[in-house]
Structure formats: C-alpha cells, structure tokens
Amino acid sequence: MIDTPRLRLRRFRPEDAPAMAAYRSDPQVARYQGWESPLSAEAAEAQVASYAAGDPRQPGWFQYAIELRAEGRLIGDLGVCLHENLRQAEVGFTLAADRQGHGYASEAVRALVDALFAGGLHKVSAECDARNTSSARLLERVGFRREGLRRAHTWFKGEWTDDLVFGLLADDPRPTVPGS
C-alpha cells in the first residue's frame, strides 16, 4: 500500500500471525505497549484477521504490517487512528527488537505521515510513555514537535505513567533525509 526504499506498509495477511506473535511476545517490545506479553498464536491469528479486515479510509484504528522488502518478512506494525473529521490522525508503532536501531521505524512513520498529509490531513499526533526515550527521539527525528507532558496521566501495567504528547501539522517543516 505504501512503499519506501526498504519497506512495504501493507495489509496484514494470515501468514503474518507467527511473526507478530513472536515480536509482540518479547517483553522488551511490549514494555511500553498496551498489550500484555506473551501473545498466543491464537490471539495473534485473531488480531491479524481483525487488522486485515480494517479500512484505512474510515475513522478509527487501522494497523499496517511493516514488511522488510528485501526479505519479504514482517518486522513490525504501524497503527493510524483516523479521526471522525477525516482531517487528523494519531499514529503508533511497534518494531521487532532485532530490527530496532536500523532506521526502519523512522522510515515507516515518515512514509505514513507523508501519505496522510498527501491525502489531505491537517494534523498527525502521537503519544508515548515519557520513559520511552527511543520513541520520543524517533518522533522528533521525523519532525514531530513535543506539545506537552501529562504527568501521572495513565494507569498502565500497574503504575501511573507520564505521557508525552507530540504533534505535526501538514505545513510544519520536516527534516530532509539523506538518500530520500
């Protein structure tokens, strides 16, 4: 659905379930995410089926599979929640631990944001746990601006957590990326 030099953002397919179960079962990957690990094979199959049935043009969450094009392998997922006004959205991302640190998440988020703005959106937002410094740096690297800190805002996995709020407007300048 969206291609970059190294990645393909596409619909989920049934054969993605084992790879998704593997990376979503990794405690390091699940640490700041809204699910509990491990993720069973059956639960992964149900999630993949649900994601595959979604419509990215309709309000609500749509989950893209992030495929490494050179290997044809699922390495993560990227969610977008389209607002009912169809002019703004929220994004979130998950990447397998062994694929982190290679710029794949930045590449995927940047490509999705570009596609959303090309489709007429006004604003894209994102939130992350304030302790998740890697995600916060990624969002800033692709052009998001930190808009706020919500202290002890979310009861998450047995504790109150601070949330960082980020936003990017369609007309905000975005960093250029070498080779893009």
Side-chain angles (χ1 to χ4, degrees):
M1 298 172 69
I2 300 171
D3 284 341
T4 72
R6 301 183 298 168
L7 306 173
R8 174 164 289 137
L9 307 181
R10 58 162 174 79
R11 283 189 180 280
F12 271 88
R13 300 186 294 244
E15 60 268 23
D16 293 326
M20 188 174 93
Y23 69 76
R24 286 195 169 199
S25 291
D26 183 333
Q28 176 185 339
V29 173
R31 168 94 168 97
Y32 301 112
Q33 299 287 3
W35 68 81
E36 296 294 331
S37 67
L39 179 67
S40 71
E42 296 79 18
E45 289 169 6
Q47 281 187 332
V48 164
S50 174
Y51 294 161
D55 184 345
R57 298 169 305 234
Q58 296 300 313
W61 282 101
F62 180 81
Q63 213 74 14
Y64 288 90
I66 303 173
E67 178 183 296
L68 188 59
R69 290 174 63 184
E71 299 175 15
R73 179 174 170 235
L74 180 73
I75 62 168
D77 53 271
L78 182 60
V80 58
C81 184
L82 187 59
H83 190 276
E84 288 181 11
N85 66 17
L86 306 179
R87 298 285 308 192
Q88 54 198 96
E90 181 178 349
V91 297
F93 45 90
T94 303
L95 204 65
D98 66 334
R99 299 306 175 143
Q100 294 177 12
H102 301 282
Y104 296 131
S106 296
E107 188 174 326
V109 171
R110 183 176 286 110
L112 178 60
V113 165
D114 288 348
L116 292 170
F117 286 140
L121 263 65
H122 168 71
K123 183 175 185 174
V124 178
S125 302
E127 294 181 16
C128 69
D129 187 307
R131 299 169 297 180
N132 190 349
T133 56
S134 295
S135 288
R137 282 194 312 266
L138 180 152
L139 290 165
E140 290 171 341
R141 199 168 39 252
V142 300
F144 282 80
R145 295 181 187 181
R146 184 172 153 183
E147 295 182 337
L149 168 69
R150 296 187 299 204
R151 298 178 318 119
H153 183 76
T154 302
W155 180 253
F156 183 72
K157 297 186 179 180
E159 62 184 324
W160 288 105
T161 62
D162 295 346
D163 296 337
L164 294 176
V165 180
F166 293 87
L168 181 61
L169 299 173
D171 57 359
D172 281 345
R174 290 193 286 287
T176 55
V177 180
S180 64

